[in-house]
Amino acid sequence: MLGLTTAILLVAGNIIGTGVFKKIVPMAATGLSENYILGAWILAGIVTMLGAFSIAGLAKLTTEAGGNFEYLRLCYGDFLSFLFGWAYFMILGSGSIAAVSFIFSQSFNALFQLPDPLAHLQNISIGAIQPFADSGIKLLAIAAIVLLTWYNYRGVKKGTTLNNFMTTAKIAGILLLIVLGFFFSQSAAYTSVAVVEAPLKNMSNLSWLAIFFGVMLNAFWSYDGFSNVAAASAEIKNPKRNIPIAIITGVSIVLVLYVLINYAFMKAMPLHDLASIPENQVAAIVVANSIIGNTGTIMISILLLLSTFGYLNVAVLLFSRYYYRMAQEQLFFKHVAKIHPVYKTPYIALIYSMIWSCVLVLSGSFDVLTDMAVFGAFAFYVLLAIGLIKMKKKGLIKEKIPGYPYAPILFSLFIIAVLTSTFINNPVRTITGIALILSGVPFYFYFKSQKKKQEAFIG
């Protein structure tokens, strides 16, 4: 069984990916001042904390594995919980694993040039998909997924031990970057705020608010993943107590780190320089290079490798528990509910997740899929927050919940604002994402029919 410290590091490890090292660039490009950018990070962190309070409350419902899937099932029944699990298997979870493994491979390629063994096949296409393009990067990405699946297959303790090391290393690297940024700011003064603020002087309050809201959304994406630790409830000691503490503590640690590192970025470089960083470069690498030259580039490239590899390990470990719990409830292929007789892990669920993630790596479509499905992902957050209120009113959660009822209400209102903004700005992609998630409906009825047949046979 996993202890509280491990659970906290699982939360932090599943939040800290690549976003915090890159998001300062689009934020700086908006023309907002340093104080407003920091305010966006703080406010997004507070909203995430409200969400953490809501999920922490739902953790009082059950000690079963499955986390958000199980909470949705208890609150609303099989259909909505199945759609959540389906979305994670087909798009959100597997797509995240594919995308981050690709970034890990690209980061490795930046340090050590990878060969392209299938370059002669790169023009072969299946529709719009070119499975053999960037073959060296894709093969390393697949190798990372397979390696981490094998590692987590051999026991949950192995996966969490690796996470504890990787997350600690990530946090140490971020702290080092923060110290470098603070030290550099003392030796070279920049006064970039006035230059950046100038374009905003004649802007209406409504337009300014829209820009600030957009910056806050950039920050919010970097906080996502805080609730996934609950998927491993059955493997955590005293989950009703430790999961809420782990989520709230993990989010608190990440909030402080995110605010400090972005402050360090802006101390090390003026905002107009940060805004001019090309899209294909990572802000943290550019900042570190400006402070200590090539040593900084190598140091942050290694930090990115650790960050992506660490996130991958946590994602492989946690997401498989959603599919395992679905199968237990006969809402997925029944053999996915099998536990390894020696290692006591949901090994079939791990293998399914690995295979589909690798297919998405080859397809190269993971970023498009996850971008389209993000609307549905946030809709599930609203359902979870409302579900907490529903369960409290029914008396199924008797414990005191931090911030209740204000936390779930405010969190829901913010997420609804996110959904509205997303739909207005990109209705086609939003509707397509909803359609992708609803593609699971025929499978839902198939699994339900199989369940009825089994119950009739047993009866």
Side-chain angles (χ1 to χ4, degrees):
M1 298 292 281
L2 309 177
L4 178 58
T5 301
T6 294
I8 292 170
L9 290 172
L10 279 172
V11 174
N14 198 225
I15 297 174
I16 303 171
T18 59
V20 69
F21 303 111
K22 302 169 69 174
K23 289 297 184 182
I24 189 63
V25 175
M27 290 177 170
T30 61
L32 292 179
S33 70
E34 294 175 0
N35 288 338
Y36 285 121
I37 290 172
L38 285 177
W41 280 104
I42 294 169
L43 186 54
I46 291 171
V47 171
T48 302
M49 187 63 72
L50 296 175
F53 288 151
S54 301
I55 302 300
L58 287 169
K60 305 289 185 182
L61 272 174
T62 178
T63 59
E64 290 282 359
N68 292 343
F69 166 83
E70 185 66 6
Y71 305 152
L72 287 167
R73 191 184 71 83
L74 293 172
C75 292
Y76 302 105
D78 288 346
F79 182 66
L80 287 175
S81 61
F82 171 81
L83 288 182
F84 170 85
W86 176 261
Y88 258 82
F89 178 72
M90 291 299 295
I91 309 163
L92 295 170
S94 301
S96 294
I97 290 171
V100 176
S101 70
F102 201 81
I103 295 169
F104 164 79
S105 191
Q106 286 177 316
S107 301
F108 187 92
N109 187 54
L111 286 173
F112 310 100
Q113 190 68 37
L114 291 168
D116 193 358
L118 304 178
H120 59 290
L121 302 175
Q122 65 181 357
N123 292 324
I124 295 176
S125 61
I126 304 170
I129 295 171
Q130 292 181 300
F132 304 112
D134 300 316
S135 64
I137 290 173
K138 286 182 177 179
L139 287 171
L140 180 59
I142 289 170
I145 294 171
V146 172
L147 173 65
L148 288 171
T149 300
W150 171 80
Y151 199 74
N152 282 280
Y153 178 106
R154 292 175 59 82
V156 68
K157 286 271 188 179
K158 290 184 179 294
T160 53
T161 299
L162 179 61
N163 171 71
N164 291 352
F165 170 76
M166 300 298 284
T167 302
T168 302
K170 276 195 283 187
I171 292 172
I174 290 172
L175 290 172
L176 178 59
L177 190 55
I178 290 168
V179 170
L180 287 173
F182 284 7
F183 175 79
F184 182 75
S185 68
Q186 294 170 1
S187 59
Y190 285 103
T191 54
S192 58
V193 176
V195 177
V196 179
E197 282 185 320
L200 299 176
K201 284 184 177 177
N202 298 319
M203 190 172 287
S204 69
N205 289 334
L206 190 61
S207 298
W208 180 92
L209 190 61
I211 290 173
F212 180 77
F213 187 69
V215 169
M216 191 164 62
L217 290 185
N218 270 310
F220 192 70
W221 308 142
S222 299
Y223 283 107
D224 199 18
F226 63 90
S227 65
N228 289 322
V229 69
S233 294
E235 294 154 293
I236 293 174
K237 294 175 185 174
N238 194 3
K240 287 189 176 184
R241 171 187 177 272
N242 287 343
I243 286 178
I245 295 173
I247 292 173
I248 293 168
T249 306
V251 171
S252 300
I253 291 169
V254 172
L255 193 161
V256 172
L257 289 175
Y258 278 9
V259 172
L260 288 177
I261 195 171
N262 279 276
Y263 182 68
F265 287 156
M266 293 184 289
K267 282 294 181 183
M269 291 181 70
L271 285 176
H272 58 75
D273 286 348
L274 288 168
S276 67
I277 294 173
E279 190 175 338
N280 63 346
Q281 293 186 27
V282 179
I285 292 177
V286 175
V287 170
N289 182 268
S290 73
I291 299 173
I292 51 177
N294 288 335
T295 303
T297 299
I298 295 170
M299 182 187 75
I300 302 304
S301 295
I302 292 171
L303 176 58
L304 277 172
L305 282 173
L306 289 173
S307 186
T308 49
F309 197 73
Y311 173 89
L312 269 180
N313 177 59
V314 180
V316 166
L317 188 158
L318 294 179
F319 295 161
S320 61
R321 271 61 180 176
Y322 288 138
Y323 322 138
Y324 161 73
R325 184 63 185 142
M326 289 171 71
Q328 279 189 317
E329 289 298 321
Q330 299 180 52
L331 293 172
F332 205 48
F333 303 104
K334 61 181 181 180
H335 55 282
V336 176
K338 289 182 178 178
I339 293 291
H340 196 282
V342 176
Y343 302 125
K344 308 301 180 186
T345 55
Y347 67 111
I348 303 294
L350 282 162
I351 291 169
Y352 267 55
S353 177
M354 176 192 74
I355 291 171
W356 186 240
S357 297
C358 290
V359 169
L360 290 180
V361 169
L362 288 173
S363 75
S365 60
F366 38 81
D367 279 330
V368 175
L369 288 172
T370 50
D371 284 350
M372 286 191 294
V374 74
F375 185 95
F378 278 84
F380 288 120
Y381 277 138
V382 174
L383 289 172
L384 286 164
I386 294 172
L388 173 63
I389 297 171
K390 180 181 176 181
M391 291 295 145
K392 280 289 284 183
K393 284 188 174 180
K394 283 186 173 183
L396 296 175
I397 300 176
K398 296 181 172 62
E399 295 89 345
K400 186 176 180 181
I401 308 298
Y404 184 86
Y406 305 107
I409 292 171
L410 291 173
F411 182 70
S412 297
L413 290 174
F414 177 79
I415 299 301
I416 289 169
V418 171
L419 297 177
T420 303
S421 174
T422 303
F423 183 79
I424 291 171
N425 291 328
N426 207 326
V428 175
R429 178 166 286 190
T430 299
I431 292 170
T432 306
I434 294 171
L436 283 171
I437 293 173
L438 291 177
S439 69
V441 172
F443 290 89
Y444 171 77
F445 287 109
Y446 168 75
F447 291 125
K448 291 292 282 187
S449 68
Q450 293 297 107
K451 182 177 182 179
K452 286 181 180 177
K453 285 180 183 178
Q454 185 174 345
E455 288 172 348
F457 176 76
I458 294 172

